[in-house]
Amino acid sequence: MQHQISVVTLGVSDLERSKRFYRDGFGWTPVFENEEIVFYQMNGFVFGTWLKGSLEVDTRVRELPASGAMSLAHNVSEEGEVQAVMSALVAAGATVLREADAPPQGGVRGYVADPDGHIWEIAWNPAWPINEEGHVVFGV
């Protein structure tokens, strides 16, 4: 089996608010959208936001949690980009969970939550460069 993730989909309570956040905060452009779901083409996978109620129907799970015990990460190429991205996300509706600082293992990271509470780590790690295709390369 290939080592890949094809699609990551988050359940959201307000699709338009979510679209504004991902468009205005990260600068992502939808490649498909309808009244229930928005998809964004990423570097090697598709990211989606789907109305939580529709996701519950599709999965046959009665009450999905608003956000889980997990975080998504957006790595950047340069140290100074961490704060710039966090500021853009806050301006688009994010809540700061942890201000950017230097963890013991090196680099810089901070955490924000999107308008539905999904946790995003914004990080620069000098040991994990981003290649020309925009992919993070583990532990080079």
Side-chain angles (χ1 to χ4, degrees):
M1 185 179 304
Q2 286 186 322
H3 290 229
Q4 74 177 43
I5 294 176
S6 303
V7 180
V8 172
T9 304
L10 302 179
V12 300
S13 61
D14 183 324
L15 196 61
E16 284 300 315
R17 179 184 69 184
S18 177
K19 185 171 69 173
R20 279 191 307 276
F21 174 77
Y22 288 100
R23 181 193 62 221
D24 298 347
F26 281 114
W28 298 344
T29 302
V31 294
F32 174 86
E33 59 185 286
N34 64 26
E35 64 280 348
E36 295 181 87
I37 196 161
V38 177
F39 287 122
Y40 304 86
Q41 181 64 59
M42 307 306 286
N43 55 346
F45 73 98
V46 173
F47 177 78
T49 56
W50 200 354
L51 285 175
K52 184 175 170 277
S54 298
L55 183 58
E56 288 168 341
V57 169
D58 200 58
T59 61
R60 295 185 178 164
V61 175
R62 286 185 167 212
E63 290 186 36
L64 290 169
S67 61
M70 61 166 282
S71 69
L72 299 165
H74 177 82
N75 282 42
V76 295
S77 299
E78 298 179 21
E79 183 175 357
E81 291 179 82
V82 173
Q83 188 57 57
V85 169
M86 288 183 66
S87 295
L89 295 173
V90 167
T95 301
V96 174
L97 303 175
R98 181 185 186 127
E99 294 289 345
D101 62 0
Q105 66 272 19
V108 175
R109 57 80 166 96
Y111 287 91
V112 300
D114 78 2
D116 286 280
H118 301 290
I119 299 170
W120 281 91
E121 176 189 28
I122 309 304
W124 169 73
N125 186 330
W128 293 18
I130 298 174
N131 68 19
E132 291 179 10
E133 291 82 33
H135 299 124
V136 171
V137 181
F138 184 84
V140 172

